[in-house]
Amino acid sequence: MDKKFDVIIVGTGATGLYAALNLPEDINALLVSKKELTLSNSSLAQGGVAAVLDTVHDSYKLHITDTLIAGKYKNTLDAVEKLVTEGPSDVLNIKELGVDFDLNEDGTMCKTLEAGHSRHRIVHHKDSTGKAIVDALIEVVKTRKNITILDNCLVYAIDKVLNGFYVSVVKDGESKTYGCNFCLLATGGIGRVYKYTTNSAIATGDGIAFAYMMGAKIKHLSRIQFHPTAFAAEKDRERFLISEAVRGEGAVLLNCEGRRFASDYDSRGELAPRDVVSNAVIRESIKTHSEKFYLDITHKPAEFVKNRFPMIYERCLEEGVDITVDKIPVFPCQHYLMGGIDVDTNSETSIEGLFAAGECSHTGVHGANRLASNSLLEALVFSRTAANVMTERLRKERKPLGRQPLKKPIEGKALPHGYRSQIREILQDTYFVLPKPEKAEESYNKVEQILSELVSDDFAVTSDYVEARSIAIVASIILEEFKEGIK
Ligand SMILES: Cc1cc2nc3c(=O)[nH]c(=O)nc-3n(C[C@H](O)[C@H](O)[C@H](O)COP(=O)(O)OP(=O)(O)OC[C@H]3O[C@@H](n4cnc5c(N)ncnc54)[C@H](O)[C@@H]3O)c2cc1C
């Protein structure tokens, strides 16, 4: 073993960073990210964080109800209650830590509306809330002497032993193994399992794959959210998101004929929950034989649009679309994972000492469909919980880890091209907004075949290999659930 820590946190998105900040100074922790610290889904979050900060015009009851309606009442109620009632103090805490939320003239936080919310309760930093959170938290984490940070450090294996874990990493081509009593997986989503996604390049489901390989319970991986309004750029795998908040501020959704259609499918129109709007787009697409859809906010004053959505404005301009005068081409794509590594309200998985939080976890708060801006809140509440529980246990006792398993060499055969693309094509075709049950069995078998090739051959441990293996594991679980009718 190269070094022993009390806690190892895999991931430096909002989840990993906030967990690290909630560990007291007598707990030493390693915080790792497989690429640069800021490359994550957290950094991409635009709209904001949902929290009841004004109990005169809003209430916990309303936020809970909105979350349950969006989740089709398939949510875990005690997790939702924890999210909604504890979340506001975490939001205020990150504001104290330096997150620059937009403020009203009287110093209160600006609150906007998003689809599915019955009240204005989304606090934000313009349209780049995630970046504001990540940047501020990184600054504070760097000042903490008990936290060792390693970026560009790929975790490729995690072994459970008697009283902890051995976490194997590759950094600068060199393999090392670190021990810890407790491990928190904060590895984010699975977007890269799809051909088109709003997710960052790191979103390959690695944490879910490690947990699965250790035998942890994985739940509802087929509960995937497809966002209705990603910028429709054919050439890009990573599709730029046109935030819900744009519709919240009055943008309308048009079909190829320039006609509004969302309310033909649901009375809430453009402000219905995401799955409903995505469904409406795909059904309208079948009806009109066209994939051309647009979001139109040109009726709003140009200055308002530029000031409220500076990042979206700039990013669309790079694609040749001036959103103050042009309609924005949009189409649904993979956006978020509601399922994941199953955890209890302490954020602990079915494996003792293994914790998971954020997008890689399944707390049950989102049910069948996440309410907009509830995921950053979930990341904060459940990562703080994990940090508190790990601290409590470490203060009671620090047990010797147990024998380190034999380590396999990382050298091996080069990975042939094409495994990942094949899986992405399969998922995009079989399990998108309107899934195709008739293809479930065949698609599952194809992915299982790829997975067995990946694990039976001696491939070199590179990021390509680790990510291909994770993608194959995640895809096979999704398709198995689909095939078996579990959702
Ligand atoms: C475009 C976009 C907009 C969004 N907007 C909002 C919004 O407005 N409000 C909201 O609430 N939610 C939003 N979301 C969702 C939200 O951003 C994410 O669910 C949340 O930030 C996930 O945080 P996380 O910390 O769990 O994961 P991430 O932020 O994705 O972080 C994952 C971390 O794990 C690390 N990692 C992964 N695998 C390994 C490995 N093998 N070895 C080492 N490190 C590893 C990565 O390097 C990274 O640091 C948005 C998501 C996207 C994609």
Side-chain angles (χ1 to χ4, degrees), residues 10-16 32-35 37 39-42 44-48 153-155 186-189 198-199 202 206 210 241 335-336 357-360 370 373-377 379:
V10 188
T12 62
T15 309
V32 294
S33 107
K34 66 178 169 181
K35 301 282 183 204
L37 297 181
L39 193 75
S40 62
N41 277 0
S42 295
L44 294 176
Q46 299 177 354
C153 176
L154 173 80
V155 173
T187 48
T198 59
N199 287 192
I202 55 89
D206 297 1
F210 298 137
L241 183 75
H335 182 58
Y336 185 77
E359 197 168 339
C360 69
R370 170 175 71 105
S373 288
N374 264 357
S375 53
L376 284 171
L377 192 68

mmCIF file of all heavy atoms in Angstrom, residues 10-16 32-35 37 39-42 44-48 153-155 186-189 198-199 202 206 210 241 335-336 357-360 370 373-377 379, ligand 1:
data_model
loop_
_atom_site.group_PDB
_atom_site.id
_atom_site.type_symbol
_atom_site.label_atom_id
_atom_site.label_comp_id
_atom_site.label_asym_id
_atom_site.label_seq_id
_atom_site.Cartn_x
_atom_site.Cartn_y
_atom_site.Cartn_z
ATOM 1 N N VAL A 10 -13.960 9.498 -4.131
ATOM 2 C CA VAL A 10 -13.698 9.417 -5.564
ATOM 3 C C VAL A 10 -14.645 10.393 -6.258
ATOM 4 O O VAL A 10 -15.852 10.156 -6.318
ATOM 5 C CB VAL A 10 -13.904 7.988 -6.106
ATOM 6 C CG1 VAL A 10 -13.423 7.909 -7.555
ATOM 7 C CG2 VAL A 10 -13.185 6.958 -5.250
ATOM 8 N N GLY A 11 -14.105 11.506 -6.740
ATOM 9 C CA GLY A 11 -14.919 12.484 -7.452
ATOM 10 C C GLY A 11 -14.817 13.875 -6.846
ATOM 11 O O GLY A 11 -14.838 14.043 -5.624
ATOM 12 N N THR A 12 -14.670 14.858 -7.733
ATOM 13 C CA THR A 12 -14.547 16.250 -7.280
ATOM 14 C C THR A 12 -15.626 17.145 -7.888
ATOM 15 O O THR A 12 -15.400 18.314 -8.184
ATOM 16 C CB THR A 12 -13.153 16.826 -7.620
ATOM 17 O OG1 THR A 12 -13.013 16.801 -9.054
ATOM 18 C CG2 THR A 12 -12.031 16.070 -6.974
ATOM 19 N N GLY A 13 -16.815 16.564 -8.089
ATOM 20 C CA GLY A 13 -17.971 17.404 -8.418
ATOM 21 C C GLY A 13 -18.492 18.001 -7.113
ATOM 22 O O GLY A 13 -17.820 17.944 -6.073
ATOM 23 N N ALA A 14 -19.700 18.561 -7.176
ATOM 24 C CA ALA A 14 -20.287 19.161 -5.971
ATOM 25 C C ALA A 14 -20.314 18.151 -4.822
ATOM 26 O O ALA A 14 -20.041 18.503 -3.667
ATOM 27 C CB ALA A 14 -21.701 19.628 -6.290
ATOM 28 N N THR A 15 -20.599 16.887 -5.143
ATOM 29 C CA THR A 15 -20.710 15.852 -4.110
ATOM 30 C C THR A 15 -19.387 15.624 -3.384
ATOM 31 O O THR A 15 -19.316 15.690 -2.153
ATOM 32 C CB THR A 15 -21.161 14.516 -4.763
ATOM 33 O OG1 THR A 15 -22.308 14.769 -5.567
ATOM 34 C CG2 THR A 15 -21.473 13.467 -3.737
ATOM 35 N N GLY A 16 -18.343 15.317 -4.156
ATOM 36 C CA GLY A 16 -17.050 15.013 -3.554
ATOM 37 C C GLY A 16 -16.475 16.206 -2.790
ATOM 38 O O GLY A 16 -15.962 16.068 -1.673
ATOM 39 N N VAL A 32 -9.995 12.386 -5.139
ATOM 40 C CA VAL A 32 -9.428 12.179 -6.471
ATOM 41 C C VAL A 32 -10.431 12.466 -7.584
ATOM 42 O O VAL A 32 -11.633 12.257 -7.441
ATOM 43 C CB VAL A 32 -8.893 10.733 -6.696
ATOM 44 C CG1 VAL A 32 -7.709 10.445 -5.813
ATOM 45 C CG2 VAL A 32 -9.963 9.694 -6.506
ATOM 46 N N SER A 33 -9.864 12.937 -8.699
ATOM 47 C CA SER A 33 -10.687 13.144 -9.884
ATOM 48 C C SER A 33 -9.915 12.614 -11.082
ATOM 49 O O SER A 33 -8.694 12.768 -11.167
ATOM 50 C CB SER A 33 -11.007 14.622 -10.013
ATOM 51 O OG SER A 33 -10.313 15.220 -11.029
ATOM 52 N N LYS A 34 -10.645 11.965 -12.004
ATOM 53 C CA LYS A 34 -9.898 11.275 -13.064
ATOM 54 C C LYS A 34 -9.354 12.228 -14.121
ATOM 55 O O LYS A 34 -8.436 11.883 -14.855
ATOM 56 C CB LYS A 34 -10.718 10.153 -13.689
ATOM 57 C CG LYS A 34 -11.942 10.542 -14.461
ATOM 58 C CD LYS A 34 -12.571 9.266 -15.041
ATOM 59 C CE LYS A 34 -13.932 9.515 -15.599
ATOM 60 N NZ LYS A 34 -14.561 8.302 -16.131
ATOM 61 N N LYS A 35 -9.928 13.408 -14.219
ATOM 62 C CA LYS A 35 -9.390 14.428 -15.131
ATOM 63 C C LYS A 35 -9.083 15.664 -14.291
ATOM 64 O O LYS A 35 -8.869 15.542 -13.088
ATOM 65 C CB LYS A 35 -10.393 14.748 -16.243
ATOM 66 C CG LYS A 35 -10.785 13.549 -17.087
ATOM 67 C CD LYS A 35 -9.721 13.200 -18.094
ATOM 68 C CE LYS A 35 -10.213 12.047 -18.959
ATOM 69 N NZ LYS A 35 -9.233 11.251 -19.588
ATOM 70 N N LEU A 37 -9.837 18.939 -12.026
ATOM 71 C CA LEU A 37 -10.810 18.992 -10.929
ATOM 72 C C LEU A 37 -12.171 19.520 -11.370
ATOM 73 O O LEU A 37 -13.194 19.155 -10.806
ATOM 74 C CB LEU A 37 -10.294 19.888 -9.793
ATOM 75 C CG LEU A 37 -9.018 19.434 -9.081
ATOM 76 C CD1 LEU A 37 -8.656 20.417 -7.975
ATOM 77 C CD2 LEU A 37 -9.170 18.031 -8.520
ATOM 78 N N LEU A 39 -13.674 19.250 -14.370
ATOM 79 C CA LEU A 39 -14.411 18.563 -15.448
ATOM 80 C C LEU A 39 -15.431 17.596 -14.833
ATOM 81 O O LEU A 39 -15.076 16.511 -14.365
ATOM 82 C CB LEU A 39 -13.449 17.807 -16.359
ATOM 83 C CG LEU A 39 -14.083 17.324 -17.658
ATOM 84 C CD1 LEU A 39 -14.278 18.462 -18.637
ATOM 85 C CD2 LEU A 39 -13.242 16.235 -18.312
ATOM 86 N N SER A 40 -16.678 18.018 -14.809
ATOM 87 C CA SER A 40 -17.709 17.199 -14.156
ATOM 88 C C SER A 40 -19.087 17.684 -14.593
ATOM 89 O O SER A 40 -19.230 18.781 -15.129
ATOM 90 C CB SER A 40 -17.603 17.344 -12.638
ATOM 91 O OG SER A 40 -17.837 18.688 -12.266
ATOM 92 N N ASN A 41 -20.092 16.886 -14.305
ATOM 93 C CA ASN A 41 -21.458 17.335 -14.563
ATOM 94 C C ASN A 41 -21.797 18.525 -13.680
ATOM 95 O O ASN A 41 -22.551 19.409 -14.083
ATOM 96 C CB ASN A 41 -22.455 16.194 -14.294
ATOM 97 C CG ASN A 41 -22.559 15.258 -15.483
ATOM 98 O OD1 ASN A 41 -21.892 15.443 -16.502
ATOM 99 N ND2 ASN A 41 -23.387 14.243 -15.357
ATOM 100 N N SER A 42 -21.231 18.541 -12.476
ATOM 101 C CA SER A 42 -21.525 19.668 -11.573
ATOM 102 C C SER A 42 -21.159 20.989 -12.231
ATOM 103 O O SER A 42 -21.915 21.960 -12.161
ATOM 104 C CB SER A 42 -20.744 19.523 -10.267
ATOM 105 O OG SER A 42 -21.164 18.389 -9.570
ATOM 106 N N LEU A 44 -21.230 21.761 -15.191
ATOM 107 C CA LEU A 44 -22.102 22.106 -16.321
ATOM 108 C C LEU A 44 -23.478 22.610 -15.876
ATOM 109 O O LEU A 44 -24.234 23.130 -16.690
ATOM 110 C CB LEU A 44 -22.315 20.880 -17.215
ATOM 111 C CG LEU A 44 -21.089 20.345 -17.946
ATOM 112 C CD1 LEU A 44 -21.456 19.069 -18.706
ATOM 113 C CD2 LEU A 44 -20.546 21.382 -18.917
ATOM 114 N N ALA A 45 -23.801 22.422 -14.597
ATOM 115 C CA ALA A 45 -25.159 22.762 -14.149
ATOM 116 C C ALA A 45 -25.430 24.241 -14.379
ATOM 117 O O ALA A 45 -24.619 25.098 -14.040
ATOM 118 C CB ALA A 45 -25.340 22.397 -12.680
ATOM 119 N N GLN A 46 -26.583 24.492 -14.952
ATOM 120 C CA GLN A 46 -26.894 25.869 -15.341
ATOM 121 C C GLN A 46 -27.936 26.479 -14.426
ATOM 122 O O GLN A 46 -27.719 27.487 -13.761
ATOM 123 C CB GLN A 46 -27.440 25.885 -16.769
ATOM 124 C CG GLN A 46 -26.479 25.373 -17.805
ATOM 125 C CD GLN A 46 -27.121 25.344 -19.189
ATOM 126 O OE1 GLN A 46 -28.307 25.594 -19.356
ATOM 127 N NE2 GLN A 46 -26.310 25.046 -20.191
ATOM 128 N N GLY A 47 -29.124 25.843 -14.397
ATOM 129 C CA GLY A 47 -30.316 26.440 -13.809
ATOM 130 C C GLY A 47 -30.153 26.862 -12.372
ATOM 131 O O GLY A 47 -30.396 28.014 -12.018
ATOM 132 N N GLY A 48 -29.746 25.951 -11.490
ATOM 133 C CA GLY A 48 -29.565 26.319 -10.102
ATOM 134 C C GLY A 48 -29.863 25.206 -9.135
ATOM 135 O O GLY A 48 -29.845 24.030 -9.494
ATOM 136 N N CYS A 153 -6.166 11.500 -11.959
ATOM 137 C CA CYS A 153 -5.817 10.283 -11.219
ATOM 138 C C CYS A 153 -7.010 9.325 -11.353
ATOM 139 O O CYS A 153 -8.040 9.522 -10.704
ATOM 140 C CB CYS A 153 -5.569 10.684 -9.764
ATOM 141 S SG CYS A 153 -5.228 9.309 -8.686
ATOM 142 N N LEU A 154 -6.863 8.333 -12.208
ATOM 143 C CA LEU A 154 -7.987 7.438 -12.523
ATOM 144 C C LEU A 154 -8.053 6.277 -11.536
ATOM 145 O O LEU A 154 -7.097 5.510 -11.415
ATOM 146 C CB LEU A 154 -7.792 6.877 -13.940
ATOM 147 C CG LEU A 154 -8.792 5.802 -14.363
ATOM 148 C CD1 LEU A 154 -10.105 6.439 -14.806
ATOM 149 C CD2 LEU A 154 -8.226 4.941 -15.490
ATOM 150 N N VAL A 155 -9.159 6.161 -10.841
ATOM 151 C CA VAL A 155 -9.381 4.965 -10.023
ATOM 152 C C VAL A 155 -9.780 3.845 -10.982
ATOM 153 O O VAL A 155 -10.684 4.027 -11.799
ATOM 154 C CB VAL A 155 -10.505 5.200 -8.985
ATOM 155 C CG1 VAL A 155 -10.852 3.903 -8.260
ATOM 156 C CG2 VAL A 155 -10.097 6.285 -7.996
ATOM 157 N N ALA A 186 -18.379 9.298 -5.455
ATOM 158 C CA ALA A 186 -19.054 10.544 -5.869
ATOM 159 C C ALA A 186 -18.715 10.753 -7.341
ATOM 160 O O ALA A 186 -18.271 11.819 -7.756
ATOM 161 C CB ALA A 186 -18.569 11.701 -5.013
ATOM 162 N N THR A 187 -18.931 9.671 -8.102
ATOM 163 C CA THR A 187 -18.384 9.597 -9.462
ATOM 164 C C THR A 187 -19.332 10.079 -10.554
ATOM 165 O O THR A 187 -18.986 10.012 -11.733
ATOM 166 C CB THR A 187 -17.971 8.143 -9.772
ATOM 167 O OG1 THR A 187 -19.067 7.306 -9.388
ATOM 168 C CG2 THR A 187 -16.728 7.734 -9.007
ATOM 169 N N GLY A 188 -20.528 10.542 -10.179
ATOM 170 C CA GLY A 188 -21.409 11.169 -11.167
ATOM 171 C C GLY A 188 -22.168 10.192 -12.046
ATOM 172 O O GLY A 188 -22.323 9.004 -11.719
ATOM 173 N N GLY A 189 -22.624 10.700 -13.186
ATOM 174 C CA GLY A 189 -23.617 10.004 -14.013
ATOM 175 C C GLY A 189 -23.073 9.061 -15.073
ATOM 176 O O GLY A 189 -21.906 8.641 -15.048
ATOM 177 N N THR A 198 -26.075 15.392 -22.535
ATOM 178 C CA THR A 198 -25.632 16.708 -22.061
ATOM 179 C C THR A 198 -24.441 16.560 -21.110
ATOM 180 O O THR A 198 -23.878 17.548 -20.675
ATOM 181 C CB THR A 198 -26.759 17.390 -21.259
ATOM 182 O OG1 THR A 198 -27.103 16.536 -20.159
ATOM 183 C CG2 THR A 198 -27.976 17.659 -22.108
ATOM 184 N N ASN A 199 -24.102 15.308 -20.767
ATOM 185 C CA ASN A 199 -23.113 15.083 -19.705
ATOM 186 C C ASN A 199 -21.671 15.309 -20.148
ATOM 187 O O ASN A 199 -21.329 15.181 -21.327
ATOM 188 C CB ASN A 199 -23.204 13.640 -19.196
ATOM 189 C CG ASN A 199 -24.436 13.367 -18.345
ATOM 190 O OD1 ASN A 199 -24.515 12.336 -17.704
ATOM 191 N ND2 ASN A 199 -25.391 14.278 -18.324
ATOM 192 N N ILE A 202 -16.558 12.794 -18.360
ATOM 193 C CA ILE A 202 -16.222 11.873 -17.250
ATOM 194 C C ILE A 202 -17.388 10.942 -16.891
ATOM 195 O O ILE A 202 -17.219 10.016 -16.105
ATOM 196 C CB ILE A 202 -15.783 12.638 -15.979
ATOM 197 C CG1 ILE A 202 -16.847 13.659 -15.533
ATOM 198 C CG2 ILE A 202 -14.461 13.357 -16.182
ATOM 199 C CD1 ILE A 202 -17.872 13.163 -14.626
ATOM 200 N N ASP A 206 -18.311 4.954 -13.788
ATOM 201 C CA ASP A 206 -17.241 4.139 -13.176
ATOM 202 C C ASP A 206 -17.595 3.689 -11.752
ATOM 203 O O ASP A 206 -17.356 2.536 -11.378
ATOM 204 C CB ASP A 206 -15.917 4.922 -13.116
ATOM 205 C CG ASP A 206 -15.382 5.284 -14.495
ATOM 206 O OD1 ASP A 206 -16.034 4.948 -15.506
ATOM 207 O OD2 ASP A 206 -14.301 5.915 -14.565
ATOM 208 N N PHE A 210 -17.725 -0.047 -10.193
ATOM 209 C CA PHE A 210 -16.922 -0.547 -9.056
ATOM 210 C C PHE A 210 -17.840 -1.160 -7.996
ATOM 211 O O PHE A 210 -17.561 -2.223 -7.456
ATOM 212 C CB PHE A 210 -16.105 0.579 -8.397
ATOM 213 C CG PHE A 210 -15.090 1.216 -9.308
ATOM 214 C CD1 PHE A 210 -14.923 2.598 -9.320
ATOM 215 C CD2 PHE A 210 -14.294 0.457 -10.145
ATOM 216 C CE1 PHE A 210 -13.999 3.206 -10.153
ATOM 217 C CE2 PHE A 210 -13.367 1.048 -10.985
ATOM 218 C CZ PHE A 210 -13.222 2.425 -10.993
ATOM 219 N N LEU A 241 -26.769 22.103 -23.137
ATOM 220 C CA LEU A 241 -28.135 22.171 -22.610
ATOM 221 C C LEU A 241 -28.720 23.575 -22.698
ATOM 222 O O LEU A 241 -28.054 24.553 -22.361
ATOM 223 C CB LEU A 241 -28.092 21.758 -21.138
ATOM 224 C CG LEU A 241 -29.444 21.696 -20.445
ATOM 225 C CD1 LEU A 241 -30.204 20.458 -20.881
ATOM 226 C CD2 LEU A 241 -29.268 21.687 -18.949
ATOM 227 N N HIS A 335 -29.782 12.917 -20.173
ATOM 228 C CA HIS A 335 -29.384 14.027 -19.304
ATOM 229 C C HIS A 335 -29.025 13.604 -17.890
ATOM 230 O O HIS A 335 -28.047 14.085 -17.327
ATOM 231 C CB HIS A 335 -30.532 15.034 -19.259
ATOM 232 C CG HIS A 335 -30.234 16.245 -18.430
ATOM 233 N ND1 HIS A 335 -29.157 17.070 -18.678
ATOM 234 C CD2 HIS A 335 -30.861 16.774 -17.343
ATOM 235 C CE1 HIS A 335 -29.147 18.056 -17.792
ATOM 236 N NE2 HIS A 335 -30.146 17.890 -16.969
ATOM 237 N N TYR A 336 -29.786 12.699 -17.312
ATOM 238 C CA TYR A 336 -29.602 12.435 -15.874
ATOM 239 C C TYR A 336 -30.004 11.010 -15.538
ATOM 240 O O TYR A 336 -30.876 10.423 -16.177
ATOM 241 C CB TYR A 336 -30.483 13.428 -15.076
ATOM 242 C CG TYR A 336 -30.271 13.316 -13.595
ATOM 243 C CD1 TYR A 336 -29.146 13.872 -12.992
ATOM 244 C CD2 TYR A 336 -31.183 12.628 -12.788
ATOM 245 C CE1 TYR A 336 -28.942 13.749 -11.618
ATOM 246 C CE2 TYR A 336 -30.979 12.501 -11.419
ATOM 247 C CZ TYR A 336 -29.863 13.068 -10.849
ATOM 248 O OH TYR A 336 -29.645 12.952 -9.507
ATOM 249 N N ALA A 357 -22.879 9.020 -3.041
ATOM 250 C CA ALA A 357 -23.762 10.193 -3.028
ATOM 251 C C ALA A 357 -23.691 10.892 -4.379
ATOM 252 O O ALA A 357 -22.787 10.643 -5.174
ATOM 253 C CB ALA A 357 -23.364 11.140 -1.896
ATOM 254 N N GLY A 358 -24.671 11.759 -4.596
ATOM 255 C CA GLY A 358 -24.724 12.474 -5.882
ATOM 256 C C GLY A 358 -25.316 11.589 -6.960
ATOM 257 O O GLY A 358 -26.036 10.619 -6.688
ATOM 258 N N GLU A 359 -24.982 11.919 -8.197
ATOM 259 C CA GLU A 359 -25.665 11.272 -9.330
ATOM 260 C C GLU A 359 -25.407 9.769 -9.431
ATOM 261 O O GLU A 359 -26.218 9.037 -9.993
ATOM 262 C CB GLU A 359 -25.290 11.982 -10.643
ATOM 263 C CG GLU A 359 -26.260 11.623 -11.753
ATOM 264 C CD GLU A 359 -26.134 12.501 -12.986
ATOM 265 O OE1 GLU A 359 -25.597 13.623 -12.883
ATOM 266 O OE2 GLU A 359 -26.575 12.049 -14.052
ATOM 267 N N CYS A 360 -24.296 9.273 -8.889
ATOM 268 C CA CYS A 360 -24.041 7.822 -9.005
ATOM 269 C C CYS A 360 -24.895 7.021 -8.024
ATOM 270 O O CYS A 360 -24.938 5.802 -8.109
ATOM 271 C CB CYS A 360 -22.557 7.505 -8.809
ATOM 272 S SG CYS A 360 -21.957 7.758 -7.127
ATOM 273 N N ARG A 370 -36.624 13.042 -12.179
ATOM 274 C CA ARG A 370 -36.104 14.094 -11.289
ATOM 275 C C ARG A 370 -36.758 15.438 -11.564
ATOM 276 O O ARG A 370 -36.888 15.854 -12.718
ATOM 277 C CB ARG A 370 -34.593 14.236 -11.489
ATOM 278 C CG ARG A 370 -34.020 15.455 -10.806
ATOM 279 C CD ARG A 370 -32.531 15.512 -10.924
ATOM 280 N NE ARG A 370 -32.059 15.805 -12.256
ATOM 281 C CZ ARG A 370 -31.555 16.990 -12.630
ATOM 282 N NH1 ARG A 370 -31.500 17.986 -11.780
ATOM 283 N NH2 ARG A 370 -31.112 17.152 -13.849
ATOM 284 N N SER A 373 -33.416 20.883 -10.847
ATOM 285 C CA SER A 373 -32.625 21.530 -9.787
ATOM 286 C C SER A 373 -32.660 20.854 -8.427
ATOM 287 O O SER A 373 -32.189 21.404 -7.438
ATOM 288 C CB SER A 373 -33.002 23.014 -9.644
ATOM 289 O OG SER A 373 -32.479 23.698 -10.765
ATOM 290 N N ASN A 374 -33.202 19.620 -8.382
ATOM 291 C CA ASN A 374 -33.143 18.859 -7.134
ATOM 292 C C ASN A 374 -31.851 18.065 -7.009
ATOM 293 O O ASN A 374 -31.562 17.543 -5.944
ATOM 294 C CB ASN A 374 -34.325 17.880 -7.052
ATOM 295 C CG ASN A 374 -35.494 18.440 -6.264
ATOM 296 O OD1 ASN A 374 -35.413 19.548 -5.727
ATOM 297 N ND2 ASN A 374 -36.576 17.695 -6.197
ATOM 298 N N SER A 375 -31.065 17.947 -8.099
ATOM 299 C CA SER A 375 -29.912 17.043 -7.990
ATOM 300 C C SER A 375 -28.716 17.694 -7.313
ATOM 301 O O SER A 375 -28.003 17.035 -6.562
ATOM 302 C CB SER A 375 -29.525 16.471 -9.336
ATOM 303 O OG SER A 375 -29.333 17.484 -10.253
ATOM 304 N N LEU A 376 -28.507 18.976 -7.529
ATOM 305 C CA LEU A 376 -27.417 19.627 -6.786
ATOM 306 C C LEU A 376 -27.764 19.625 -5.296
ATOM 307 O O LEU A 376 -26.899 19.457 -4.436
ATOM 308 C CB LEU A 376 -27.185 21.053 -7.295
ATOM 309 C CG LEU A 376 -26.432 21.146 -8.630
ATOM 310 C CD1 LEU A 376 -26.446 22.581 -9.152
ATOM 311 C CD2 LEU A 376 -24.996 20.660 -8.503
ATOM 312 N N LEU A 377 -29.047 19.809 -5.014
ATOM 313 C CA LEU A 377 -29.481 19.774 -3.618
ATOM 314 C C LEU A 377 -29.209 18.390 -3.023
ATOM 315 O O LEU A 377 -28.692 18.267 -1.913
ATOM 316 C CB LEU A 377 -30.984 20.099 -3.546
ATOM 317 C CG LEU A 377 -31.517 20.384 -2.144
ATOM 318 C CD1 LEU A 377 -30.947 21.686 -1.602
ATOM 319 C CD2 LEU A 377 -33.038 20.440 -2.137
ATOM 320 N N ALA A 379 -26.981 16.274 -4.035
ATOM 321 C CA ALA A 379 -25.522 16.127 -3.907
ATOM 322 C C ALA A 379 -25.052 16.732 -2.577
ATOM 323 O O ALA A 379 -24.245 16.126 -1.856
ATOM 324 C CB ALA A 379 -24.824 16.807 -5.083
HETATM 325 C C1 LIG B 1 -25.682 20.235 -18.620
HETATM 326 C C2 LIG B 1 -26.176 19.923 -17.254
HETATM 327 C C3 LIG B 1 -26.928 20.864 -16.567
HETATM 328 C C4 LIG B 1 -27.394 20.575 -15.286
HETATM 329 N N1 LIG B 1 -28.093 21.529 -14.595
HETATM 330 C C5 LIG B 1 -28.470 21.280 -13.316
HETATM 331 C C6 LIG B 1 -29.097 22.290 -12.527
HETATM 332 O O1 LIG B 1 -29.280 23.417 -12.968
HETATM 333 N N2 LIG B 1 -29.470 21.971 -11.258
HETATM 334 C C7 LIG B 1 -29.265 20.730 -10.709
HETATM 335 O O2 LIG B 1 -29.641 20.508 -9.561
HETATM 336 N N3 LIG B 1 -28.654 19.769 -11.443
HETATM 337 C C8 LIG B 1 -28.246 20.016 -12.704
HETATM 338 N N4 LIG B 1 -27.614 19.033 -13.426
HETATM 339 C C9 LIG B 1 -27.312 17.759 -12.778
HETATM 340 C C10 LIG B 1 -26.185 17.937 -11.776
HETATM 341 O O3 LIG B 1 -25.254 18.845 -12.301
HETATM 342 C C11 LIG B 1 -25.482 16.635 -11.487
HETATM 343 O O4 LIG B 1 -26.394 15.630 -11.193
HETATM 344 C C12 LIG B 1 -24.583 16.771 -10.276
HETATM 345 O O5 LIG B 1 -23.789 17.907 -10.402
HETATM 346 C C13 LIG B 1 -23.722 15.540 -10.139
HETATM 347 O O6 LIG B 1 -22.704 15.831 -9.231
HETATM 348 P P1 LIG B 1 -21.716 14.688 -8.774
HETATM 349 O O7 LIG B 1 -20.761 15.341 -7.837
HETATM 350 O O8 LIG B 1 -22.497 13.537 -8.275
HETATM 351 O O9 LIG B 1 -20.975 14.216 -10.110
HETATM 352 P P2 LIG B 1 -20.028 15.045 -11.075
HETATM 353 O O10 LIG B 1 -20.161 16.481 -10.826
HETATM 354 O O11 LIG B 1 -20.249 14.571 -12.447
HETATM 355 O O12 LIG B 1 -18.553 14.613 -10.605
HETATM 356 C C14 LIG B 1 -18.063 13.319 -10.848
HETATM 357 C C15 LIG B 1 -16.605 13.253 -10.426
HETATM 358 O O13 LIG B 1 -16.188 11.896 -10.365
HETATM 359 C C16 LIG B 1 -14.904 11.770 -10.921
HETATM 360 N N5 LIG B 1 -14.699 10.388 -11.380
HETATM 361 C C17 LIG B 1 -15.549 9.622 -12.101
HETATM 362 N N6 LIG B 1 -14.993 8.411 -12.328
HETATM 363 C C18 LIG B 1 -13.765 8.418 -11.755
HETATM 364 C C19 LIG B 1 -12.699 7.484 -11.681
HETATM 365 N N7 LIG B 1 -12.771 6.266 -12.246
HETATM 366 N N8 LIG B 1 -11.559 7.857 -11.040
HETATM 367 C C20 LIG B 1 -11.443 9.092 -10.480
HETATM 368 N N9 LIG B 1 -12.428 10.019 -10.524
HETATM 369 C C21 LIG B 1 -13.570 9.686 -11.149
HETATM 370 C C22 LIG B 1 -14.896 12.798 -12.040
HETATM 371 O O14 LIG B 1 -13.568 13.084 -12.426
HETATM 372 C C23 LIG B 1 -15.631 13.955 -11.362
HETATM 373 O O15 LIG B 1 -14.722 14.701 -10.603
HETATM 374 C C24 LIG B 1 -27.124 19.311 -14.705
HETATM 375 C C25 LIG B 1 -26.378 18.367 -15.392
HETATM 376 C C26 LIG B 1 -25.890 18.671 -16.663
HETATM 377 C C27 LIG B 1 -25.098 17.644 -17.381
#
